[in-house]
Amino acid sequence: MSGLQGVGLLLLWGSACLGPPGLVRGALVISGDQVALQEPSGAAKSLQKRSTNEDMVEVYSVRLDCTVMSRFAHTVMTSKALNRANSSQEIFFEVDLPKTAFIANFSMEIDGQVYVGDIKEKEKAKKQYEKAVSSGKTAGLVKASGRKMEKFSVSVNIAAESNVTFILTYEELLQRKLGRYEILTRVKPKQRVQEFQIVTNIYEPKGISYVDAHATFLSNELLPLVDKRVTDNKAHISFSPTMEEQRKCPDCEGTLIDGDFLVTYDVNRAKSQWDIQIVNGYFVHFFAPPDLPRVPKNVVFVIDRSGSMHGTKMAQTREAMLAILKDLHEDDHFAVIQFDDSIDSWKESLTKATKENLDEAMKYVSRIVDSGSTNINDAVLRGVNMLVKDRQEEKLPERSIDMIILLTDGMPNAGVSNIGEIQTNVHSAMGGNMSLFCLGFGNDVEYSFLDVMSKQNKGMARRIYEGSDAAVQLQGFYEEVASPLLLEVDLRYPENAVDSLTTNHYSQLFNGSEIVVAGRLTDNDLDNFMVEVFAQGFDEDFKVQGQASVEDWDVLYPDEEYIFGDFTERLWAYLTIQQLLETSKSGTPEEKSNASAKALDMSLQYSFVTPLTSMVVTKPDTEDGPDSPFIADKLTEEQRQKEERVGYQRHPQVAQALRPVSNYYHSTPTYLVDGDPHFLIELPERDDALCFNINNKPGTIFNLVRDPIPGILVNGETIGEKMIPPDGQINTYFWRFGIVHQSLGVRLEVSTQDIVVLQDGKQVKLLWSDTASVKGTNVDLLLTKDRSLTVTLKDSVKFVVLLHKVWAKHPYHRDYLGFYTLDSHLLSPLVHGLLGQFYHGIEYEVSDLRPGEVPEKPDATMYVKGQELNVTRGWQRDFRKDVKNGENVPCWFVHSNGTGLIDGDATDYIISGLFKTV
């Protein structure tokens, strides 16, 4: 392949549940060979040169089938492609799947020959293929992909005129949170596909209370294509747009399918206290009784205020705590402890959540500031002692739940710093009488330490990711545990009729959640299958018992050919393995060893890729001999976190340049072009930004925004310097914009000299030397003298144009304009243009951080829109607050006129007139 290099074409996939990708979230990628481009290695590939090979590879089918039987989801992703080239090409299959799911099968069919994945013990697989692993030539990998997803990918060399079919199967038990189950598919095909289909079938014998389906990319035209049919106990949802319906705009090849497809549902609970399914010798019991009163809670919030919480994290913690305090029920009792190397508490005991106490506590929380190191041991023990003391003094309701919620972002480095010792101290002090919930903020926290400590004390841990939504994450976790309904829930079954039970005792049941127990039947006499549940309720003990009945699936679903009739057994195996893996982390040494051994045996028996197993696929031979095997592993949360840290640890100076600085980013996304000309895409939800320059000859007119639904058009014309500067570099700037809203009958021409507004045949002319406010029927203008023009279109987007005035006698420079878009979410999914294409988000991933030519400007590799780009960390300026000097905004700079980031080539956006579309 001398002189040739592979070029990726993004074709699919989306995933069921969330996360960001390596190439793009959920993607089938196809690469072909072509003449090497005249750019440095790793730089952006030219879209124009790539287009020939795209035509040679046809992806003619992409299908996702998800079947949910009593909350157990069985998902099959199938993609088919044909290599039309006269030479072999390497084809990549890449997909995001939920991190809670287990891969159950993977196969490739190439010209009738099927290659199937083989599940092996991880250590044996590693030794067997050690050479391939160490050389980095394994063709398939599983990597972390955002907060809730992991990315599965594999590549294979396909001969000329040959077909390939990829099939990936995974399974998971859907978890009920806040009263609903969720199936989320992220679809980003990046091109139109002949046969594109998403199908979800839900079977719930006890009945379905509601089903909802929507997608972020659904326009009014696409909405009717979502077929939703619901009967009492079955729901069918499908989405299958034609090639033409997938088209992003009438005169472009891009696809409109780009975003999240979400199905949510819940089951009927009013008819029975429980839902028990018995199939093929296994049973599963779902327990979430309706209409229970909440049990009061006694909660101590233990908040890390150490120096590492400085800035955004501390501000977001305060914001979240203020919202959480507002949500406390008046029957709850609470306390607030803040710590660094010293411990301070708001009061010395818990306080009832009256309005007066909450107001006082909120003032206290709003004054928390960061300083010092991290003494987790003493802070948690202070909270434990508070609860113990108040219990002894009978200050707390007898029937109430005691809990501590710990929020920290780092490792203990003051007081007791040994992790094992802290865990022992906390477990001993709590004595099984209270629950500990741990929230690990950011990527520096030792999550495994918090995870084990919480599970040792009847709680759970959750990672809180740094980002603009961190406060929302904190509040979301609190909502899950805010309303306990039952305590010490014990689910009992006939001892002589079942064995191999999953966990059947739970410390608490929270509102909106569900307890699931599964087991194997040893007695086929189901007439005497009695079920009993004992728990502590709000004002009395809770006790229910009843006879389990067997549903006749043939009667319930007479027209269905059920595709995985052993679902109760596989659900039992999935749940058992998950619980064994938890025991292997937090039990005694003997319990850990036994749990790991049993989890491994079951993973192999049921062909699940778990943290103890690997999937190995032997690929077909190539012309150069045997190809390297494909090996897929299952990541633990610790491995995911380690993977995220790798780039930061490799180059400390790079890490410093990349550390999020939220103060730079505004609260809502902003899209702008200013300077000579610099395009800047601010993404506050990621505490990040992307930027690129467009260079062309003066007088060029570019389309910036075009939305065919309301008829919005924004074009800009460039101007050059007065004369060529001594350095010979000719810079161009925007000096004139044309803005049209066809539906509202509005047309504006904004130049460095004046502003002309035309509406309904009436024309108004304004000068930059004016200060004016013009309110029209469909458009409002606010002109600030020699500074800015704000254009507000009725019920639509808002634009801001900034004037940059230059000394009139400057030998080279001229006056120029900047263009800023606000409220872009009000535009339709069809919006496009150099700026408009980013209005509804952009998915990308940055990795391989490395020093650049300038120490403070590191380089990295960006995966975006199916391409691998070399990008540089730099700065661009946002002039809204300071039109003279601007405000520096850190961003990833995409070289070569934004090639690889923008759709097509920059020249594709050149048009013939200021108010023209072509």
Side-chain angles (χ1 to χ4, degrees):
M1 292 179 56
S2 175
L4 302 177
Q5 71 179 40
V7 176
L9 164 63
L10 224 171
L11 297 169
L12 201 93
W13 246 113
S15 65
C17 259
L18 290 171
L23 278 148
V24 148
R25 198 171 281 153
L28 167 63
V29 181
I30 291 196
S31 336
D33 296 334
Q34 66 175 50
V35 177
L37 308 178
Q38 301 302 310
E39 292 189 8
S41 176
K45 280 77 174 179
S46 163
L47 292 176
Q48 289 182 327
K49 295 185 179 182
R50 193 184 65 168
S51 61
T52 303
N53 275 339
E54 289 185 6
D55 298 335
M56 295 181 178
V57 177
E58 177 189 357
V59 174
Y60 53 89
S61 178
V62 167
R63 182 181 174 97
L64 182 147
D65 289 285
C66 180
T67 302
V68 180
M69 292 295 298
S70 292
R71 289 71 139 184
F72 194 61
H74 175 93
T75 303
V76 180
M77 297 178 172
T78 306
S79 292
K80 300 178 180 181
L82 169 65
N83 177 15
R84 293 189 177 279
N86 56 11
S87 60
S88 64
Q89 296 200 64
E90 190 171 24
I91 296 182
F92 292 80
F93 174 72
E94 183 175 276
V95 60
D96 279 13
L97 66 150
K99 68 179 184 181
T100 52
F102 290 157
I103 293 173
N105 191 36
F106 172 74
S107 66
M108 301 180 296
E109 182 176 348
I110 305 170
D111 287 343
Q113 181 69 40
V114 180
Y115 302 84
V116 181
D118 186 18
I119 307 294
K120 297 178 178 289
E121 180 182 351
K122 179 175 287 188
E123 289 306 312
K124 290 184 178 179
K126 184 178 179 180
K127 291 177 181 178
Q128 184 176 353
Y129 297 99
E130 194 170 17
K131 182 177 180 181
V133 173
S134 62
S135 65
K137 294 181 179 179
T138 48
L141 297 170
V142 174
K143 294 183 177 180
S145 182
R147 300 174 181 178
K148 298 182 180 180
M149 312 295 287
E150 55 192 26
K151 180 177 60 184
F152 170 97
S153 60
V154 64
S155 67
V156 64
N157 204 288
I158 301 299
E161 302 297 331
S162 293
N163 288 277
V164 59
T165 298
F166 298 103
I167 303 176
L168 177 70
T169 303
Y170 63 83
E171 296 174 343
E172 68 168 331
L173 177 63
L174 300 179
Q175 296 181 3
R176 187 171 185 250
K177 291 184 178 180
L178 302 177
R180 68 178 193 173
Y181 307 97
E182 190 174 280
I183 307 165
L184 180 60
T185 305
R186 182 145 294 164
V187 286
K188 293 184 173 294
K190 298 303 175 188
Q191 70 154 36
R192 297 180 299 135
V193 179
Q194 184 68 40
E195 180 186 305
F196 178 89
Q197 191 167 30
I198 299 173
V199 178
T200 301
N201 288 302
I202 302 170
Y203 303 88
E204 292 289 353
K206 291 297 181 182
I208 298 173
S209 62
Y210 88 94
V211 177
D212 188 27
H214 68 273
T216 56
F217 51 79
L218 285 181
S219 62
N220 291 333
E221 291 76 18
L222 287 182
L223 193 59
L225 300 181
V226 179
D227 180 21
K228 185 176 75 172
R229 286 171 279 168
V230 184
T231 61
D232 179 48
N233 53 25
K234 179 187 175 183
H236 170 86
I237 303 98
S238 64
F239 177 63
S240 183
T242 65
M243 285 274 283
E244 193 58 35
E245 289 166 337
Q246 295 170 45
R247 191 184 295 274
K248 189 167 188 177
C249 55
D251 55 351
C252 61
E253 289 297 317
T255 178
L256 186 63
I257 312 303
D258 185 355
D260 295 339
F261 191 89
L262 178 69
V263 176
T264 58
Y265 79 97
D266 199 12
V267 301
N268 289 329
R269 301 181 188 276
K271 298 178 182 178
S272 174
Q273 291 281 1
W274 52 50
D275 177 0
I276 298 179
Q277 300 299 321
I278 301 175
V279 179
N280 294 344
Y282 288 82
F283 82 92
V284 58
H285 180 190
F286 302 97
F287 181 71
D291 305 323
L292 291 177
R294 63 183 298 279
V295 176
K297 64 179 179 293
N298 313 307
V299 55
V300 180
F301 298 99
V302 182
I303 302 171
D304 185 346
R305 65 172 183 201
S306 61
S308 57
M309 289 286 288
H310 175 72
T312 303
K313 285 193 283 190
M314 195 73 259
Q316 291 172 325
T317 299
R318 287 193 295 263
E319 177 187 346
M321 277 302 304
L322 292 175
I324 288 170
L325 289 173
K326 287 180 183 178
D327 286 342
L328 284 174
H329 195 275
E330 60 183 0
D331 291 336
D332 293 335
H333 287 70
F334 73 103
V336 180
I337 294 173
Q338 54 173 312
F339 73 96
D340 42 43
D341 49 311
S342 61
I343 318 297
D344 293 313
S345 54
W346 170 51
K347 292 183 182 294
E348 294 308 311
S349 63
L350 280 80
T351 305
K352 193 168 184 180
T354 63
K355 184 180 185 305
E356 294 76 14
N357 288 334
L358 289 173
D359 288 343
E360 186 181 342
M362 290 168 70
K363 292 177 182 176
Y364 176 80
V365 166
S366 65
R367 295 193 296 267
I368 297 177
V369 294
D370 50 89
S371 66
S373 47
T374 309
N375 187 344
I376 292 176
N377 183 80
D378 291 354
V380 175
L381 293 183
R382 172 78 67 88
V384 173
N385 292 335
M386 268 191 184
L387 286 165
V388 170
K389 180 173 177 289
D390 284 2
R391 278 288 179 193
Q392 291 172 344
E393 297 177 359
E394 298 182 352
K395 293 181 178 180
L396 305 175
E398 181 181 353
R399 287 185 176 270
S400 59
I401 180 174
D402 297 342
M403 65 172 70
I404 291 176
I405 298 180
L406 167 67
L407 170 67
T408 181
D409 76 330
M411 284 288 289
N413 56 13
V416 179
S417 58
N418 180 275
I419 287 175
E421 188 176 348
I422 296 172
Q423 291 171 338
T424 299
N425 292 343
V426 171
H427 185 59
S428 175
M430 288 190 162
N433 298 315
M434 58 192 74
S435 298
L436 174 64
F437 299 96
C438 297
L439 302 176
F441 202 151
N443 206 29
D444 295 326
V445 70
E446 187 66 32
Y447 178 77
S448 59
F449 156 57
L450 300 179
D451 187 38
V452 170
M453 188 164 65
S454 63
K455 288 183 170 64
Q456 289 174 337
N457 296 284
K458 305 196 300 187
M460 59 182 172
R462 182 75 54 83
R463 285 185 67 190
I464 302 299
Y465 295 84
E466 290 186 61
S468 61
D469 68 336
V472 177
Q473 295 177 60
L474 291 168
Q475 294 171 52
F477 174 83
Y478 172 75
E479 287 177 19
E480 292 180 36
V481 301
S483 299
L485 302 179
L486 295 174
L487 310 180
E488 305 304 332
V489 186
D490 196 25
L491 303 99
R492 301 176 187 176
Y493 311 92
E495 292 183 4
N496 59 349
V498 300
D499 69 5
S500 302
L501 276 180
T502 60
T503 300
N504 64 326
H505 179 85
Y506 288 81
S507 301
Q508 58 264 320
L509 171 68
F510 293 104
N511 186 38
S513 66
E514 181 176 65
I515 289 174
V516 183
V517 181
R520 183 167 50 198
L521 300 175
T522 58
D523 187 349
N524 292 324
D525 182 12
L526 299 179
D527 294 333
N528 295 311
F529 193 83
M530 294 293 297
V531 179
E532 297 177 301
V533 180
F534 300 89
Q536 300 172 20
F538 167 59
D539 53 4
E540 60 183 2
D541 288 342
F542 176 91
K543 178 181 179 181
V544 293
Q545 63 180 22
Q547 174 76 36
S549 59
V550 181
E551 303 281 2
D552 191 332
W553 290 87
D554 293 332
V555 174
L556 281 173
Y557 306 107
D559 300 324
E560 302 295 334
E561 183 177 344
Y562 183 43
I563 61 171
F564 61 115
D566 59 345
F567 85 94
T568 49
E569 181 178 357
R570 295 192 66 79
L571 186 158
W572 164 80
Y574 172 94
L575 196 55
T576 300
I577 293 170
Q578 291 278 31
Q579 292 176 356
L580 287 169
L581 292 172
E582 293 296 340
T583 302
S584 70
K585 292 190 291 184
S586 59
T588 65
E590 184 178 359
E591 288 173 338
K592 291 180 181 180
S593 177
N594 291 338
S596 295
K598 187 173 181 181
L600 173 59
D601 289 342
M602 292 187 67
S603 300
L604 295 172
Q605 179 182 352
Y606 289 94
S607 295
F608 282 139
V609 178
T610 72
L612 303 174
T613 57
S614 296
M615 174 179 281
V616 180
V617 178
T618 303
K619 300 194 297 180
D621 293 347
T622 65
E623 296 176 358
D624 299 326
D627 204 346
S628 301
F630 154 67
I631 301 177
D633 295 327
K634 178 74 176 176
L635 301 179
T636 64
E637 192 63 39
E638 293 73 30
Q639 289 170 326
R640 294 171 63 87
Q641 189 179 22
K642 182 179 179 181
E643 188 176 298
E644 293 167 12
R645 290 174 176 166
V646 167
Y648 290 87
Q649 293 172 339
R650 186 177 298 139
H651 299 296
Q653 74 275 25
V654 172
Q656 183 61 35
L658 298 182
R659 195 163 290 280
V661 188
S662 294
N663 292 338
Y664 290 113
Y665 305 106
H666 297 84
S667 58
T668 57
T670 305
Y671 310 88
L672 64 96
V673 56
D674 213 327
D676 59 344
H678 304 301
F679 288 77
L680 181 62
I681 316 301
E682 294 187 26
L683 304 167
E685 75 279 3
R686 296 186 63 154
D687 272 350
D688 207 354
L690 307 178
C691 50
F692 58 94
N693 293 349
I694 297 293
N695 299 310
N696 211 294
K697 63 182 180 181
T700 304
I701 301 175
F702 290 100
N703 173 242
L704 304 180
V705 183
R706 182 184 180 191
D707 190 342
I709 301 300
I712 289 179
L713 180 74
V714 180
N715 296 328
E717 182 177 355
T718 59
I719 192 172
E721 308 279 24
K722 295 176 183 177
M723 58 185 293
I724 299 177
D727 60 8
Q729 182 177 348
I730 303 177
N731 294 321
T732 57
Y733 309 83
F734 282 108
W735 77 281
R736 195 163 65 118
F737 293 115
I739 302 173
V740 175
H741 193 307
Q742 190 172 353
S743 301
L744 299 180
V746 175
R747 172 169 165 162
L748 289 87
E749 180 177 338
V750 184
S751 72
T752 52
Q753 281 88 42
D754 53 33
I755 299 110
V756 179
V757 187
L758 182 66
Q759 181 177 2
D760 300 328
K762 299 179 181 179
Q763 180 172 302
V764 176
K765 183 175 181 179
L766 303 172
L767 299 177
W768 282 103
S769 56
D770 299 331
T771 291
S773 176
V774 179
K775 292 187 176 293
T777 306
N778 295 317
V779 62
D780 293 344
L781 303 179
L782 178 62
L783 177 62
T784 302
K785 180 181 178 180
D786 290 334
R787 180 182 174 89
S788 67
L789 172 72
T790 301
V791 181
T792 305
L793 297 167
K794 180 182 178 183
D795 299 327
S796 186
V797 70
K798 180 186 293 184
F799 299 122
V800 176
V801 179
L802 298 185
L803 173 66
H804 297 273
K805 291 188 70 66
V806 177
W807 179 44
K809 296 183 179 180
H810 196 287
Y812 309 116
H813 301 324
R814 305 175 188 263
D815 293 349
Y816 64 93
L817 302 175
F819 180 81
Y820 296 71
T821 310
L822 310 179
D823 300 327
S824 57
H825 64 283
L826 296 174
L827 294 174
S828 82
L830 295 177
V831 67
H832 207 260
L834 276 172
L835 277 178
Q837 63 189 284
F838 301 106
Y839 284 174
H840 292 297
I842 176 74
E843 296 297 335
Y844 65 94
E845 182 180 87
V846 176
S847 64
D848 190 22
L849 311 175
R850 54 194 180 272
E853 294 183 6
V854 180
E856 63 271 17
K857 293 185 177 181
D859 286 346
T861 299
M862 176 180 289
Y863 299 94
V864 60
K865 295 185 178 181
Q867 298 196 75
E868 181 180 308
L869 311 181
N870 181 66
V871 295
T872 301
R873 192 63 168 178
W875 303 78
Q876 296 288 15
R877 285 187 286 177
D878 183 330
F879 290 92
R880 278 178 292 168
K881 292 183 179 179
D882 184 347
V883 74
K884 181 178 180 181
N885 301 307
E887 178 183 21
N888 282 331
V889 177
C891 60
W892 288 110
F893 182 77
V894 181
H895 303 271
S896 305
N897 284 344
T899 299
L901 177 64
I902 64 173
D903 293 337
D905 188 83
T907 57
D908 297 338
Y909 299 86
I910 296 176
I911 52 175
S912 58
L914 195 63
F915 297 99
K916 296 291 185 68
T917 58
V918 293

